[in-house]
Amino acid sequence: MALLTLKDIGKIYVSEGNATVGIRGVNLSFDKGEFVAITGKSGSGKSTLLNVISGMDSYEEGELYIEDQPTSHYLQPEWEEYRKKYISFIFQDYNIIDSFTVLQNVELALMNIDDKKVRRARALELIDRVGLSPFVKQKGSKLSGGQKQRTVIARALAKDSPIILADEPTGNLDSATSKEIIELLREVSKDKLLIVVTHNFEQVEDYATRHIRIFDGAVESDHVMKHTETPSGDGKEQSAKTDKKDKKKEKIRNIKNGITLGRTIFTSKPKLSVFLCFLMIIGTLGIFMITTFCGDATDMFDKHYMFSHIDGRVVVVKQNGEAITDAELSALAEKSGAKSTIHYDLLLDESYGSVQYYDESKREYENIDVQCAYNENFGDGIVGSYPTEANEVFLYLPIAYQPVFGKDSIITDKISFKSLQLKVTGVKYYYDNNIRGKMVFTEEGFRVATAVDYLSNNYTTLSVAVISKDSGYTMHFDYGNYFITSFNVENGKIYIFDESFREYVRTQEEELSIQLSFNTSKYKDDYYGGYTTVDFLKTFTGDILTDTYPDVSSETNGMYVKNVAVHPSVIVEVAEDIMKQCYSQASLFFENDKAAHNAISALRDEGYVAVTSDTTCSQDPLDAILTIIQSLFMGILWILAILFLAFFINLCSSRVLGAFKSDMAIMRSMGIPVKVVRIGMYVRMLISLVPAFITVIAVAILIFTTPTFNKFFVYLYPWQYAVIFVGMIILTARITHKQIRKLFGESVKKSLKGGAAE
Ligand code: ADP
Ligand code: MG
């Protein structure tokens, strides 16, 4: 049985309508142990013959038998398998991977050895055998021609294939080196079939066992020069078909080899890799920005609750729109099983910059958008303590406010809410852009704040009448809405800052009494959203103090001209007196939204209009559809942005690809499976993703640890970080996929059509 038989092989090149004969009617048979020298004029078809034998070029006529098996029906994967199993190719132009070291080049051919140590040992042994031991760590680009060709020979040996093909292996070497290389080739391939194409027959004369002359694509002569010892043992059992188990093993091996290859490619071109990493970092920051934008943009379409959504909250209104009485509310709570109630719940739905603090560094007042709450507990990790007095509050704020309110102890303890001065007793910070902060009062404090809020929302003016007790003469002072509520004012006392008022009081000889009138124009901003005006007058009689000022901090006093200060109890009385008559809604609280939903029908049975706060935004099905479309749109936008980024990065990195093209052809000609190269490329890209990955983590840490950073870079949810990582992977996959398609689209065809041997 011959190792390799060519029967009537013909190869015709067709290009631009011209057919060129590569080889024709070639009948040859080769065995192990032969050293075949092929000579012939340039263009006679020597390279074509080798390419056909190597399976890198197809043939149109005849049949090529390998170990007596025909090959004409082979498709690309079978040829790949064929090359992997039988062929080592040595080219004139060396074809080693310049960026790899000698060791890496040789190890590339030893991929079928799973054990890394064994692989390395074998590679070193082979390198020693071709006399390159001192250059193990030398890069391919720094080797001389002879050294390169030795590396190629070591690599050919590493494959341990039965056939070694060499196309003018010494064509670029001086004659002394050429001799050495031929000698080495012969020495290392005694038990193999070695076919060498050469211009210079003299060089091989002493070693060749057979000489074939090619002329015009056909065999002109075929001389056996020496006796050929055919080594014993045949490769029949080797060609036994691989069973399933081996296939699985092969798969694992391909993956492992791909990973190793990817790492080698990455480290062997440090400059390119740095460039790639840089691109990836840019890309990742791009994704970060896009994700941030999409997150923000989604907020634009956020649900607009008619009422603040509070888990378990139900808002009730009487069918006829009349005000609910306290008695009715408590009866309703009992019947429906509500946990608690708030009669005057308007403050729950306030939604603008409510807290005001004085920023020392900017020397101006800053507002924070918070939601008012009471008696709420935030668990561990709080700074300070919870409030116990009506004028104390606890703040639940975004982490960006940590520098303002303190990390370990409270820095700013004075804030104001609608001219109501409050003391901060505790703070807790959170990382979230999508929720609103909270200001938590005691129950009494909440009541006061509600009253202040109510009066300030429903334009309330205050006037003071000074009545002379004897004559009954009344002097009016109108102060508009320039009054403040302060816990520092003694209960039952009124302070008037206005100098003209003080002057008037001082100069009166009669005994005076004072009357305070609050006048409110109120419009109903309840469930029905109607607008009605109610005029309301409330009078107080009390002592005036002209000799002292209460401790009302200049912060509130300084900004507007405030003329009158009253104790909160006055305001509560005024406000609740109005609300008692006009405020037509109330809130009931249940365990959670589910319990709230369950209670709705009972409340309606009682004759109330009742809505849970979670449904007050999505009752319209069109709205719900719109929200879905919007988030879908955002998702698509996100993906498009990523693909665009991938496209951009791909453009930038096409140089990386170009540099890899020839290496790729070499690997392919060595019979390294496409799969391995593919995995290698993916791995290389994934590695270059690592710095980008680290960048994102660093940014995340920065955002989490540096509160002020949060003002510029929004806090993202963990799932959004997950989205960024997914984006990075899509990006990488996309770029790699495109690169691979480009590479394989060109160079596979090229190498299969003999391009690799050009
Ligand atoms: P040699 O290696 O002996 O110099 P080749 O095998 O390279 O000769 O070429 C044999 C013939 O085939 C030449 O006429 C050459 O022009 C032609 N040929 C080789 N490769 C191609 C190709 N890829 N496309 C078209 N013609 C080709
Ligand atoms: Mg040639």
Side-chain angles (χ1 to χ4, degrees), residues 575-638:
E576 288 192 355
D577 216 24
I578 309 174
M579 287 194 280
K580 212 179 281 168
Q581 298 166 52
C582 326
Y583 196 74
S584 55
Q585 82 176 44
S587 284
L588 298 170
F589 294 93
F590 296 87
E591 209 54 60
N592 48 39
D593 279 339
K594 202 169 162 239
H597 279 279
N598 292 337
I600 286 287
S601 65
L603 293 167
R604 289 181 180 162
D605 286 347
E606 290 296 311
Y608 287 86
V609 177
V611 279
T612 51
S613 63
D614 64 330
T615 53
T616 55
C617 64
S618 53
Q619 275 161 331
D620 191 355
L622 209 69
D623 260 7
I625 292 169
L626 214 65
T627 311
I628 292 169
I629 291 173
Q630 278 157 347
S631 32
L632 213 69
F633 175 74
M634 274 302 149
I636 291 168
L637 193 77
W638 185 81

Side-chain angles (χ1 to χ4, degrees), residues 305-548:
Y305 287 97
M306 199 160 166
F307 302 106
S308 285
H309 174 236
I310 296 167
D311 196 33
R313 182 183 181 196
V314 177
V315 181
V316 291
V317 183
K318 269 185 170 178
Q319 291 277 9
N320 59 12
E322 279 173 8
I324 302 173
T325 66
D326 279 335
E328 281 167 340
L329 185 61
S330 47
L332 198 57
E334 203 171 306
K335 279 203 178 118
S336 60
K339 220 174 54 176
S340 64
T341 60
I342 300 184
H343 193 166
Y344 307 121
D345 61 355
L346 67 153
L347 205 51
L348 294 179
D349 302 312
E350 282 290 325
S351 66
Y352 48 87
S354 307
V355 169
Q356 198 175 61
Y357 67 94
Y358 184 72
D359 190 329
E360 295 284 351
S361 60
K362 288 189 199 154
R363 293 175 171 276
E364 58 187 41
Y365 291 89
E366 289 283 338
N367 284 306
I368 311 173
D369 184 21
V370 289
Q371 189 181 344
C372 295
Y374 67 94
N375 284 354
E376 210 168 312
N377 198 297
F378 294 91
D380 293 336
I382 66 163
V383 182
S385 59
Y386 288 106
T388 53
E389 302 290 326
N391 66 333
E392 293 175 343
V393 289
F394 181 90
L395 296 175
Y396 181 59
L397 296 175
I399 187 70
Y401 288 104
Q402 200 184 63
V404 177
F405 290 96
K407 187 181 177 197
D408 307 310
S409 58
I410 312 293
I411 298 171
T412 300
D413 68 339
K414 286 217 171 64
I415 58 165
S416 62
F417 171 78
K418 313 235 173 186
S419 91
L420 187 66
Q421 291 163 69
L422 299 166
K423 196 170 145 54
V424 181
T425 57
V427 194
K428 176 154 180 169
Y429 303 106
Y430 61 81
Y431 294 90
D432 200 322
N433 307 301
N434 295 320
I435 63 169
R436 196 147 32 101
K438 280 186 176 174
M439 174 159 56
V440 184
F441 293 89
T442 62
E443 206 166 332
E444 183 57 25
F446 190 80
R447 218 175 136 200
V448 171
T450 301
V452 169
D453 181 56
Y454 186 78
L455 288 190
S456 65
N457 278 356
N458 301 291
Y459 191 79
T460 301
T461 57
L462 185 146
S463 61
V464 180
V466 185
I467 304 152
S468 308
K469 277 196 174 162
D470 295 342
S471 62
Y473 178 77
T474 307
M475 178 75 178
H476 289 276
F477 292 87
D478 287 328
Y479 292 120
N481 64 343
Y482 298 129
F483 60 93
I484 53 174
T485 314
S486 174
F487 288 97
N488 293 332
V489 176
E490 245 176 279
N491 199 352
K493 300 255 164 81
I494 299 151
Y495 290 90
I496 296 180
F497 302 92
D498 175 26
E499 267 313 320
S500 57
F501 175 89
R502 297 168 86 90
E503 183 63 29
Y504 175 77
V505 172
R506 264 200 296 273
T507 54
Q508 293 307 301
E509 268 139 37
E510 286 182 62
E511 200 184 336
L512 301 170
S513 88
I514 191 159
Q515 201 175 60
L516 224 59
S517 303
F518 287 90
N519 198 305
T520 300
S521 281
K522 119 153 244 326
Y523 74 94
K524 290 183 176 181
D525 55 346
D526 53 29
Y527 184 71
Y528 288 108
Y531 189 100
T532 42
T533 312
V534 179
D535 288 327
F536 179 86
L537 184 75
K538 175 92 184 169
T539 55
F540 285 91
T541 313
D543 302 331
I544 337 158
L545 286 178
T546 50
D547 48 347
T548 52

Side-chain angles (χ1 to χ4, degrees), residues 149-160:
Q149 210 58 303
R150 281 167 191 272
T151 308
V152 174
I153 292 168
R155 205 174 62 188
L157 292 175
K159 259 188 85 182
D160 201 25

Side-chain angles (χ1 to χ4, degrees), residues 41-48 92 167-168 197 199 757-758:
K41 275 196 256 169
S42 176
S44 56
K46 307 180 295 292
S47 294
T48 307
Q92 175 179 345
D167 194 350
E168 309 205 23
V197 166
H199 262 108
E758 61 198 2

